[in-house]
Amino acid sequence: MMQIDYTPMMCLMAAVPVALMFLLMLGCHWGVSGAAAVSMLASVAVGVFFYRAELPLISVEAAKGIWSALGILIVIWPAILIYEVTAQAGAFDAIRSAIAHVSPNRLLQILAIGWIFASFLQGVTGFGVPVAVIAPLLMAMGLRPVWAIVVPLLGQAWGNTFGTLAAAWDALAQQVSLDAAVLSRTALWAAVFLFVVNLLTGIFICLIYGGATAVKKGLPAVLLVSIIQGGGEVLLSQYNTALCCFLPSCLSLCAVFVLGRTQLYREPWSLAASPMMDTSAPQPEQRATTHKLTFHQAILPYYVLTVLTLAVLLIPPVHTYFGSCSVSLSFGQTRTALGLVDEAVEHFSPIVPFTNSGFFLLVAAVTGYVFFCRKGCYCRDSAQKILNGLLHKAIPASVSIITLVVMARIMSGSGQILALAQGTAAIAGGIYSILAPFVGMLGTFVTGSNVSSNVLFSQFQQGISDILGKDTAIILAAQTAGASLGSIISPSKLILGTTAAGIIGQEDDVLKKVLPFTLISCLLLGALTQLLA
């Protein structure tokens, strides 16, 4: 990896766009859209005046960002569409009612939807789908919109590295030069770190629902589910990384039905004073059950989504056939005046439309719409309402995401992200291991993707581990585990959550609630990394 000696001032200036994003969202209560636009302009100014990146380079990186954003948007639009199709059919009422019958224990219901079902969706799809799907379900159960976003943001995080059939892990493996034994150790330690994140997630969801009382009540379920999910991922990481998140998530879904019949959770239990619950809204038990659908009928689009995803991605002949079509752009080489080179690429960020999560979501949404039409679930103007809901939610989210990804590309192409990482390593020195997961988290925050964070920083983390004499497997495991945690505070996922919940512009409220958990968990991973590396 190219090494450029950046001055302390340049390293400091590289932090300006990211710091500005945090300041505007947390200090000034801006939404992501405005904060991202200002931060993007700041990244351009820093790139031009401090990193001597000429305007042609900025233009090329902006074009790359727009193309990369398209890969995200083709997931977000169908994800919102499947929500609108399901919501207009009244299917969420049927799903909520069925979950209430699994167990009358409100805490177990929240864990089942916000953590376990979110993990399942992350294992098979990812790309923010769990947040978009789960937030409306939790609102239907009586959660306040902000908390309905917080819970799936936490619930999906542990599955980011090996979720989406290990897309982020594959990105890391492709970036580093490691023999099979070291790569296997890296997968093992990454799974161990994520096991810790998984356990903390379950405990924290209980804590925010009802403090120590809820933790005591939910701990048996949390321990069992965490052993299945986190422990299962540790075991499978040594055999099949593509399935080591998905299969344990499936098993945990089965486990929650068993838990609902145990003595601990078969009796009604809830906390009226829980800050998560909207006490002014009718609770699920009080609402009229006018839906026409059974649980399995209501969840049909997600059955289609799961079966189609598994069939296309796991059956080699099918995957080969559907993956034969791809679309990409070519870009020439760019170079800053300081010597940072971004090599020419003939096929930049290929989009394989028929193996993309967006395709699976679109097919599932269309199938669901046809099925719900035949069941008589829609009114005369339901199609118009679905379209209006899609446009109302997707257009603002799309503008924000394009702005964010363009900013990330400009920061990367001009050398700002590399300078951030180098400055961090220079300051930290011997205690760099503590900060290794924070670098991964920063990458996901800036780019919105665990995959992108691993692409940006894996080689750098490997180089630093060699220079400092650290265990490369541990450092790289901390990189991708930290990147998974970064998905909790990723602006693109915040936008997706507020969009699905209908509270666009309140991203700062969500960020304030998830940031403490993210930072504390990342610090714990850093301490473990320092101890082990």
Side-chain angles (χ1 to χ4, degrees):
M1 183 179 184
M2 176 176 291
Q3 294 295 322
I4 297 177
D5 293 327
Y6 293 109
T7 66
M9 176 57 71
M10 294 177 71
C11 294
L12 182 63
M13 292 306 299
V16 168
V18 178
L20 193 58
M21 174 89 68
F22 273 107
L23 176 64
L24 292 175
M25 291 183 65
L26 296 177
C28 302
H29 307 290
W30 284 30
V32 171
S33 300
V38 173
S39 298
M40 184 193 71
L41 293 176
S43 72
V44 173
V46 171
V48 170
F49 293 109
F50 289 89
Y51 287 80
R52 300 172 66 185
E54 297 179 351
L55 290 179
L57 182 148
I58 298 294
S59 300
V60 169
E61 295 302 330
K64 289 180 179 178
I66 293 171
W67 178 256
S68 298
L70 179 61
I72 300 173
L73 297 181
I74 61 176
V75 175
I76 287 179
W77 280 69
I80 296 172
L81 177 62
I82 196 173
Y83 161 69
E84 291 293 336
V85 165
T86 308
Q88 288 296 326
F92 286 139
D93 285 337
I95 295 171
R96 181 259 308 155
S97 178
I99 292 169
H101 283 91
V102 169
S103 170
N105 185 295
R106 181 58 48 78
L107 177 58
L108 185 63
Q109 294 172 10
I110 293 172
L111 290 171
I113 288 294
W115 181 31
I116 300 169
F117 190 39
S119 297
F120 168 78
L121 292 175
Q122 181 62 36
V124 73
T125 57
F127 294 102
V129 171
V131 181
V133 170
I134 298 300
L137 288 177
L138 291 177
M139 289 173 62
M141 291 171 58
L143 271 70
R144 300 178 188 273
V146 168
W147 287 113
I149 301 167
V150 168
V151 173
L153 278 172
L154 298 174
Q156 56 82 41
W158 76 278
N160 265 256
T161 288
F162 295 107
T164 322
L165 304 181
W169 168 255
D170 289 342
L172 183 149
Q174 291 167 5
Q175 292 298 310
V176 296
S177 300
L178 298 175
D179 60 45
V182 177
L183 196 61
S184 179
R185 286 187 62 245
T186 304
L188 177 64
W189 282 113
V192 169
F193 288 159
L194 293 169
F195 191 170
V196 174
V197 172
N198 182 275
L199 178 60
L200 292 176
T201 296
I203 293 173
F204 190 71
I205 291 174
C206 293
L207 186 66
I208 58 179
Y209 175 73
T213 301
V215 171
K216 182 179 178 181
K217 187 70 175 179
L219 191 58
V222 168
L223 290 175
L224 176 61
V225 171
S226 188
I227 288 171
I228 294 172
Q229 290 185 340
E233 185 168 81
V234 169
L235 292 175
L236 286 171
S237 68
Q238 301 302 289
Y239 299 99
N240 189 320
T241 54
L243 297 178
C244 71
C245 172
F246 174 70
L247 285 183
S249 298
C250 289
L251 292 175
S252 66
L253 269 179
C254 298
V256 78
F257 285 90
V258 176
L259 281 168
R261 289 172 169 78
T262 63
Q263 187 174 356
L264 287 171
Y265 299 106
R266 67 189 180 195
E267 300 297 332
W269 187 86
S270 63
L271 293 175
S274 171
M276 293 174 66
M277 306 307 295
D278 185 1
T279 55
S280 64
Q283 296 302 301
E285 291 81 3
Q286 299 171 317
R287 295 174 183 162
T289 56
T290 58
H291 50 269
K292 306 175 182 179
L293 302 167
T294 66
F295 171 76
H296 293 292
Q297 291 172 336
I299 209 170
L300 176 71
Y302 301 106
Y303 283 147
V304 173
L305 174 63
T306 303
V307 172
L308 183 60
T309 302
L310 292 177
V312 172
L313 296 186
L314 294 184
I315 302 175
V318 177
H319 184 267
T320 300
Y321 179 78
F322 279 87
S324 60
C325 174
S326 67
V327 183
S328 62
L329 298 180
S330 61
F331 292 95
Q333 183 188 83
T334 60
R335 178 190 294 268
T336 69
L338 297 176
L340 180 66
V341 176
D342 196 353
E343 297 293 346
V345 57
E346 185 176 354
H347 301 288
F348 176 78
S349 189
I351 296 175
V352 186
F354 299 116
T355 62
N356 186 280
S357 295
F359 171 69
F360 306 145
L361 285 163
L362 179 61
V363 172
V366 172
T367 303
Y369 179 79
V370 172
F371 176 76
F372 294 144
C373 280
R374 292 184 176 180
K375 294 292 294 184
C377 298
Y378 291 132
C379 303
R380 180 176 300 177
D381 60 346
S382 290
Q384 186 64 45
K385 288 181 179 178
I386 290 171
L387 179 60
N388 291 341
L390 173 64
L391 297 177
H392 176 72
K393 292 181 173 68
I395 290 176
S398 300
V399 173
S400 299
I401 287 168
I402 290 172
T403 306
L404 282 167
V405 179
V406 168
M407 181 186 84
R409 286 302 319 177
I410 291 172
M411 290 185 68
S412 176
S414 62
Q416 294 174 61
I417 289 180
L418 180 60
L420 269 177
Q422 288 189 359
T424 301
I427 294 171
I431 61 168
Y432 174 77
S433 299
I434 294 177
L435 298 181
F438 284 93
V439 173
M441 182 181 72
L442 174 66
T444 301
F445 174 78
V446 173
T447 66
S449 166
N450 192 333
V451 174
S452 298
S453 179
N454 285 349
V455 169
L456 286 173
F457 288 141
S458 292
Q459 291 183 24
F460 171 76
Q461 298 265 30
Q462 182 183 15
I464 290 296
S465 68
D466 293 339
I467 293 170
L468 299 178
K470 302 293 185 180
D471 187 328
T472 300
I474 301 294
I475 296 296
L476 289 174
Q479 152 65 33
T480 192
S484 289
L485 280 170
S487 69
I488 300 174
I489 58 173
S490 163
S492 60
K493 283 192 172 68
L494 294 176
I495 295 170
L496 194 56
T498 57
T499 299
I503 55 170
I504 296 176
Q506 296 186 36
E507 293 86 9
D508 60 313
D509 292 333
V510 180
L511 183 59
K512 287 177 182 177
K513 287 179 168 55
V514 297
L515 192 57
F517 172 83
T518 308
L519 294 177
I520 291 171
S521 299
C522 206
L523 184 60
L524 177 58
L525 291 186
L528 289 173
T529 304
Q530 179 72 12
L531 179 65
L532 295 167

